[in-house]
Amino acid sequence: AAAACEILVHYISGPIAREVGWGITRLDDAIMTSDMQAVCVANGMGLLVMLSVKSLSTSSQLMAIAEGMLMKKEGAGEVVPIALPYLTFPSRDDYEKIVREADLDSIPELPNLMEALFKQIAVSYNTHASTEALKVQSLEVLRRVQSHRPNLHTATNSSNRLPTASASRGSGIAAR
């Protein structure tokens, strides 16, 4: 997922910065805590979720998805699921199991937020494709981000947000 994220960022960072003044922050489990990631998502105007075989394997990834889906629910940003090769989409029973295994039972809405993410039509991002195909797939991600103009006056501490993400809103796209 990290390599796919770098390819995507390569193709869309320039147009995002030029057209709407946004930047991209890459969320990385190796160097960021869950709280740091939650603040990045809370400060952003969108979340690009790179869905790979291991996407739902850590609590920090699940928290970023939850924060992003709450942001989208509030109308404060867009969440774009991006399906990488070999992804197996989870079932409703899988959501509950994933939450238990990540020890996130304290967030009862998490399975519903995960389900809402997977109900969206994901952009297929085939990292084995040609350069031209990757450009087309990247432009589709960019189109989805650009089609959503978040309400910049959204309350910063909505009661729907997770406790770790109470930072003020800023600009940017977080790519997971």
Side-chain angles (χ1 to χ4, degrees), residues 49-82:
V49 183
M50 306 298 283
L51 297 166
S52 70
V53 173
K54 296 185 178 184
S55 290
L56 306 176
S57 63
T58 68
S59 60
S60 61
Q61 292 171 337
L62 296 172
M63 292 295 291
I65 290 170
E67 183 63 34
M69 293 308 292
L70 288 170
M71 173 184 62
K72 179 180 175 93
K73 185 177 176 181
E74 293 173 357
E78 185 57 70
V79 177
V80 180
I82 303 165

Short mmCIF file of all heavy atoms in Angstrom, two decimals, residues 49-82:
data_model
loop_
_atom_site.label_atom_id
_atom_site.label_comp_id
_atom_site.label_asym_id
_atom_site.label_seq_id
_atom_site.Cartn_x
_atom_site.Cartn_y
_atom_site.Cartn_z
N VAL A 49 -8.24 6.32 1.28
CA VAL A 49 -7.96 5.08 2.00
C VAL A 49 -7.47 4.03 1.02
O VAL A 49 -8.23 3.55 0.18
CB VAL A 49 -9.23 4.57 2.74
CG1 VAL A 49 -8.90 3.32 3.54
CG2 VAL A 49 -9.81 5.64 3.63
N MET A 50 -6.18 3.70 1.11
CA MET A 50 -5.59 2.68 0.26
C MET A 50 -5.92 1.32 0.88
O MET A 50 -5.40 0.98 1.94
CB MET A 50 -4.07 2.86 0.17
CG MET A 50 -3.61 4.25 -0.27
SD MET A 50 -4.16 4.74 -1.91
CE MET A 50 -3.05 3.83 -2.94
N LEU A 51 -6.82 0.60 0.25
CA LEU A 51 -7.30 -0.67 0.79
C LEU A 51 -6.50 -1.83 0.21
O LEU A 51 -6.62 -2.16 -0.97
CB LEU A 51 -8.79 -0.84 0.47
CG LEU A 51 -9.70 0.21 1.10
CD1 LEU A 51 -11.08 0.17 0.48
CD2 LEU A 51 -9.76 0.01 2.59
N SER A 52 -5.69 -2.44 1.05
CA SER A 52 -4.88 -3.58 0.64
C SER A 52 -5.26 -4.78 1.48
O SER A 52 -6.16 -4.71 2.32
CB SER A 52 -3.39 -3.26 0.82
OG SER A 52 -3.07 -3.19 2.19
N VAL A 53 -4.55 -5.85 1.28
CA VAL A 53 -4.81 -7.07 2.03
C VAL A 53 -4.70 -6.84 3.53
O VAL A 53 -5.42 -7.42 4.32
CB VAL A 53 -3.82 -8.18 1.56
CG1 VAL A 53 -3.94 -9.42 2.42
CG2 VAL A 53 -4.06 -8.51 0.11
N LYS A 54 -3.81 -5.93 3.95
CA LYS A 54 -3.57 -5.69 5.38
C LYS A 54 -4.16 -4.37 5.88
O LYS A 54 -3.83 -3.93 6.98
CB LYS A 54 -2.08 -5.72 5.66
CG LYS A 54 -1.46 -7.08 5.40
CD LYS A 54 -0.02 -7.11 5.79
CE LYS A 54 0.55 -8.50 5.56
NZ LYS A 54 1.91 -8.61 6.02
N SER A 55 -5.05 -3.76 5.12
CA SER A 55 -5.58 -2.43 5.49
C SER A 55 -6.25 -2.37 6.84
O SER A 55 -6.22 -1.34 7.49
CB SER A 55 -6.58 -1.95 4.44
OG SER A 55 -5.93 -1.64 3.26
N LEU A 56 -6.87 -3.43 7.24
CA LEU A 56 -7.66 -3.40 8.47
C LEU A 56 -6.95 -4.13 9.60
O LEU A 56 -7.59 -4.62 10.52
CB LEU A 56 -9.04 -4.01 8.21
CG LEU A 56 -9.81 -3.39 7.04
CD1 LEU A 56 -11.11 -4.13 6.80
CD2 LEU A 56 -10.06 -1.92 7.28
N SER A 57 -5.62 -4.13 9.55
CA SER A 57 -4.88 -4.95 10.51
C SER A 57 -4.40 -4.21 11.75
O SER A 57 -3.96 -4.84 12.70
CB SER A 57 -3.68 -5.61 9.81
OG SER A 57 -2.79 -4.62 9.36
N THR A 58 -4.45 -2.89 11.76
CA THR A 58 -3.98 -2.18 12.95
C THR A 58 -5.05 -1.21 13.45
O THR A 58 -5.86 -0.70 12.69
CB THR A 58 -2.69 -1.36 12.67
OG1 THR A 58 -2.99 -0.28 11.80
CG2 THR A 58 -1.59 -2.22 12.08
N SER A 59 -4.99 -0.95 14.74
CA SER A 59 -5.98 -0.05 15.33
C SER A 59 -5.83 1.37 14.78
O SER A 59 -6.82 2.07 14.60
CB SER A 59 -5.87 -0.05 16.86
OG SER A 59 -4.60 0.35 17.28
N SER A 60 -4.61 1.80 14.47
CA SER A 60 -4.43 3.16 13.95
C SER A 60 -5.09 3.31 12.57
O SER A 60 -5.67 4.35 12.27
CB SER A 60 -2.95 3.53 13.89
OG SER A 60 -2.25 2.67 13.04
N GLN A 61 -5.02 2.27 11.76
CA GLN A 61 -5.68 2.31 10.45
C GLN A 61 -7.20 2.37 10.62
O GLN A 61 -7.88 3.15 9.94
CB GLN A 61 -5.29 1.09 9.62
CG GLN A 61 -3.84 1.10 9.22
CD GLN A 61 -3.40 -0.20 8.59
OE1 GLN A 61 -4.00 -1.26 8.80
NE2 GLN A 61 -2.33 -0.13 7.82
N LEU A 62 -7.71 1.59 11.53
CA LEU A 62 -9.15 1.58 11.78
C LEU A 62 -9.62 2.91 12.34
O LEU A 62 -10.70 3.40 11.99
CB LEU A 62 -9.52 0.43 12.71
CG LEU A 62 -9.25 -0.97 12.16
CD1 LEU A 62 -9.46 -2.02 13.24
CD2 LEU A 62 -10.10 -1.25 10.95
N MET A 63 -8.81 3.51 13.22
CA MET A 63 -9.18 4.81 13.78
C MET A 63 -9.19 5.89 12.70
O MET A 63 -10.05 6.77 12.70
CB MET A 63 -8.22 5.18 14.91
CG MET A 63 -8.33 4.30 16.14
SD MET A 63 -9.92 4.45 16.96
CE MET A 63 -9.78 6.10 17.61
N ALA A 64 -8.23 5.85 11.78
CA ALA A 64 -8.20 6.82 10.69
C ALA A 64 -9.44 6.67 9.81
O ALA A 64 -10.06 7.66 9.40
CB ALA A 64 -6.93 6.66 9.86
N ILE A 65 -9.83 5.43 9.52
CA ILE A 65 -11.04 5.18 8.74
C ILE A 65 -12.26 5.72 9.48
O ILE A 65 -13.11 6.39 8.90
CB ILE A 65 -11.19 3.68 8.42
CG1 ILE A 65 -10.13 3.25 7.40
CG2 ILE A 65 -12.59 3.36 7.91
CD1 ILE A 65 -10.02 1.76 7.19
N ALA A 66 -12.34 5.43 10.78
CA ALA A 66 -13.49 5.90 11.56
C ALA A 66 -13.56 7.42 11.58
O ALA A 66 -14.63 8.01 11.34
CB ALA A 66 -13.40 5.37 12.99
N GLU A 67 -12.44 8.07 11.82
CA GLU A 67 -12.41 9.54 11.84
C GLU A 67 -12.80 10.11 10.48
O GLU A 67 -13.56 11.08 10.39
CB GLU A 67 -11.03 10.04 12.27
CG GLU A 67 -10.94 11.54 12.39
CD GLU A 67 -11.84 12.13 13.45
OE1 GLU A 67 -12.06 11.50 14.48
OE2 GLU A 67 -12.33 13.24 13.22
N GLY A 68 -12.28 9.51 9.42
CA GLY A 68 -12.62 9.97 8.08
C GLY A 68 -14.10 9.82 7.77
O GLY A 68 -14.73 10.72 7.20
N MET A 69 -14.67 8.69 8.16
CA MET A 69 -16.10 8.46 7.87
C MET A 69 -16.98 9.39 8.70
O MET A 69 -18.04 9.83 8.24
CB MET A 69 -16.47 6.99 8.10
CG MET A 69 -15.81 6.04 7.10
SD MET A 69 -16.06 6.49 5.36
CE MET A 69 -17.82 6.21 5.20
N LEU A 70 -16.56 9.71 9.93
CA LEU A 70 -17.30 10.69 10.73
C LEU A 70 -17.21 12.08 10.09
O LEU A 70 -18.19 12.82 10.06
CB LEU A 70 -16.79 10.71 12.17
CG LEU A 70 -17.15 9.48 13.00
CD1 LEU A 70 -16.41 9.49 14.32
CD2 LEU A 70 -18.65 9.39 13.22
N MET A 71 -16.04 12.41 9.58
CA MET A 71 -15.85 13.68 8.88
C MET A 71 -16.78 13.76 7.68
O MET A 71 -17.46 14.77 7.46
CB MET A 71 -14.39 13.80 8.43
CG MET A 71 -14.08 15.00 7.55
SD MET A 71 -12.36 14.99 6.97
CE MET A 71 -12.30 13.48 6.01
N LYS A 72 -16.85 12.68 6.92
CA LYS A 72 -17.72 12.63 5.74
C LYS A 72 -19.20 12.75 6.16
O LYS A 72 -19.97 13.48 5.54
CB LYS A 72 -17.50 11.33 4.98
CG LYS A 72 -18.37 11.19 3.75
CD LYS A 72 -18.11 9.88 3.04
CE LYS A 72 -19.05 9.69 1.89
NZ LYS A 72 -18.52 10.16 0.63
N LYS A 73 -19.57 12.04 7.22
CA LYS A 73 -20.94 12.07 7.70
C LYS A 73 -21.36 13.49 8.08
O LYS A 73 -22.50 13.89 7.87
CB LYS A 73 -21.06 11.13 8.91
CG LYS A 73 -22.45 10.95 9.46
CD LYS A 73 -22.41 9.95 10.61
CE LYS A 73 -23.77 9.80 11.25
NZ LYS A 73 -23.72 8.85 12.36
N GLU A 74 -20.42 14.27 8.62
CA GLU A 74 -20.68 15.66 9.00
C GLU A 74 -20.69 16.60 7.80
O GLU A 74 -21.01 17.77 7.94
CB GLU A 74 -19.61 16.15 9.98
CG GLU A 74 -19.62 15.47 11.30
CD GLU A 74 -18.42 15.88 12.16
OE1 GLU A 74 -17.56 16.65 11.69
OE2 GLU A 74 -18.36 15.42 13.30
N GLY A 75 -20.28 16.10 6.63
CA GLY A 75 -20.20 16.95 5.46
C GLY A 75 -18.95 17.81 5.44
O GLY A 75 -18.88 18.80 4.72
N ALA A 76 -17.96 17.44 6.23
CA ALA A 76 -16.75 18.25 6.37
C ALA A 76 -15.60 17.75 5.51
O ALA A 76 -14.51 18.32 5.56
CB ALA A 76 -16.32 18.27 7.84
N GLY A 77 -15.79 16.70 4.74
CA GLY A 77 -14.71 16.18 3.92
C GLY A 77 -15.15 14.95 3.17
O GLY A 77 -16.24 14.42 3.39
N GLU A 78 -14.30 14.49 2.29
CA GLU A 78 -14.60 13.34 1.45
C GLU A 78 -13.69 12.18 1.85
O GLU A 78 -12.55 12.38 2.26
CB GLU A 78 -14.38 13.69 -0.02
CG GLU A 78 -14.77 12.61 -0.98
CD GLU A 78 -16.21 12.18 -0.84
OE1 GLU A 78 -17.12 12.94 -1.18
OE2 GLU A 78 -16.42 11.04 -0.36
N VAL A 79 -14.21 10.97 1.73
CA VAL A 79 -13.42 9.77 1.93
C VAL A 79 -13.50 8.97 0.63
O VAL A 79 -14.59 8.69 0.14
CB VAL A 79 -13.94 8.91 3.10
CG1 VAL A 79 -13.14 7.62 3.23
CG2 VAL A 79 -13.89 9.70 4.40
N VAL A 80 -12.33 8.67 0.06
CA VAL A 80 -12.29 7.95 -1.20
C VAL A 80 -11.60 6.60 -0.95
O VAL A 80 -10.40 6.56 -0.69
CB VAL A 80 -11.52 8.73 -2.29
CG1 VAL A 80 -11.48 7.95 -3.60
CG2 VAL A 80 -12.12 10.12 -2.48
N PRO A 81 -12.37 5.51 -1.02
CA PRO A 81 -11.74 4.19 -0.89
C PRO A 81 -11.05 3.82 -2.21
O PRO A 81 -11.62 4.02 -3.29
CB PRO A 81 -12.91 3.26 -0.59
CG PRO A 81 -14.12 3.96 -1.11
CD PRO A 81 -13.82 5.43 -1.12
N ILE A 82 -9.83 3.30 -2.10
CA ILE A 82 -9.04 2.93 -3.26
C ILE A 82 -8.63 1.47 -3.09
O ILE A 82 -7.87 1.14 -2.18
CB ILE A 82 -7.80 3.84 -3.39
CG1 ILE A 82 -8.25 5.31 -3.47
CG2 ILE A 82 -6.96 3.45 -4.59
CD1 ILE A 82 -7.15 6.31 -3.23
#
